[in-house]
Amino acid sequence: IPTQFGTATETQDLEEMLAALAHLTKQPTAKLERVLIEHLDACAYRYDAWMQGLVNYQLQRMRNITGNNGGTGDIETKPGIYLGAYGWLEEVKPKAKQLTEKKLDGELKEKFQRTGDTPLVTDSSNAGYILAPSLNHAVTAAVLRNGYISNRTSPAAKPFAINLSAERVRLALTIVDGMRAGQGLAALLGYQLERGLHDRHDTEVDEFIFDLRKVFPLQSNQLQSTRTDEHDSIEQIEARNVINGLALIEHIEQTGVRNYPFGAALPSATSAQRAAINAEVQRIIELNDAVADLAMAEGVHQVVQGNYDRAAAVLDSYSKGHLPPTPDVIQTPRSGLTITQRVGLQFKTG
């Protein structure tokens, strides 16, 4: 085999390997260790290195194709060509930003704003950092925040003003669970409103539930062919009816009247009763907004992962009141080991 080095194409790879080993014999062990780690890193993590390596390997094979030069018996090597470009980035300057001095208080001032330190400044255009549990969540948050920042001075910013606090997500999931059980969003909001009017206030406001059902009916009294007179009892129309919470919210958004009687033909109420009704209506408005925020975040979360069909299905299920899937955007990936600690606490008798 050694006699064929440099003459036979079959031994070319082996010859290159032996030459590389001879080169490595002159290197210190510390450098060999670093090179080995870099090689393993390229094989394990650097996908672009693999792809470029395959292209480079194919290019080397094409450039070393040998053949008979016109039948003369001479070996011809086709080297190919090298094509590249380079350039400079000139006159790079920092963006002119209006920085304002930041005043700290308490312990922060003692640690970071001591006498003689350089003043701390803030940039009003910098929205700060986002802590996210995964890269996909970070991309979702970045897209949503960029949409809000780009449109914050216009009405288009409202859909991007996403608030996924723990309490709002928990409340939104109660509505999502109800929708997955076959209930509509309008009915679920109505149930929340009626339950709040019945349980959450000392002032008696149950008497207004039937009037609100009449003005904002869920199903009954909406078709012209079956519409009943105004004096008919709501129990006679449909005993299991409930306030159409979504219709009430849309009416408030269209009219801009956020206080009872909301610009509708509803009976008069005392100041305490109006305050109780306004509080419960505001609560279902926040609840509806939490569901909308969760739906928007879930749609964007699926889009940034390339799941366009899933994103379209999610938004369609929420908009039409179908069975929405369990949101992935609120699923926090866990890592590490789980350890259960059981603790007993003994109290004194009595």
Side-chain angles (χ1 to χ4, degrees), residues 39-189:
H39 175 72
L40 294 177
D41 180 71
C43 295
Y45 301 104
R46 292 294 304 278
Y47 180 71
D48 57 333
W50 273 100
M51 298 300 294
Q52 294 177 21
L54 294 175
V55 173
N56 183 69
Y57 175 73
Q58 179 66 16
L59 182 62
Q60 294 297 327
R61 287 180 57 87
M62 294 174 62
R63 288 176 176 173
N64 290 288
I65 293 177
T66 59
N68 192 337
N69 188 9
T72 62
D74 298 333
I75 301 300
E76 177 190 17
T77 300
K78 301 178 181 179
I81 62 173
Y82 289 94
L83 181 64
Y86 63 90
W88 289 272
L89 184 60
E90 298 180 341
E91 299 183 4
V92 180
K93 298 179 181 179
K95 186 177 180 180
K97 296 183 178 180
Q98 298 295 330
L99 302 180
T100 57
E101 186 175 353
K102 177 65 175 180
K103 298 294 185 180
L104 301 179
D105 298 322
E107 185 178 357
L108 291 178
K109 183 177 181 180
E110 296 176 1
K111 298 292 185 181
F112 301 102
Q113 212 167 42
R114 296 168 297 186
T115 303
D117 289 350
T118 303
L120 300 177
V121 294
T122 60
D123 177 14
S124 59
S125 63
N126 189 337
Y129 292 98
I130 297 179
L131 298 179
S134 70
L135 289 178
N136 289 331
H137 287 84
V139 175
T140 302
V143 171
L144 289 171
R145 186 171 69 172
N146 184 68
Y148 174 75
I149 293 175
S150 301
N151 301 278
R152 62 176 136 188
T153 58
S154 66
K158 184 177 180 181
F160 297 100
I162 305 298
N163 181 1
L164 293 182
S165 62
E167 181 181 7
R168 284 170 60 88
V169 170
R170 177 177 57 82
L171 294 175
L173 287 178
T174 61
I175 299 298
V176 172
D177 291 341
M179 296 173 65
R180 290 173 60 83
Q183 294 286 347
L185 178 60
L188 291 169
L189 293 174

Side-chain angles (χ1 to χ4, degrees), residues 329-349:
V329 70
I330 62 172
Q331 302 298 325
T332 301
R334 302 293 183 184
S335 60
L337 300 177
T338 301
I339 300 177
T340 302
Q341 301 279 2
R342 291 182 172 86
V343 180
L345 183 62
Q346 181 178 359
F347 293 94
K348 294 181 179 179
T349 305

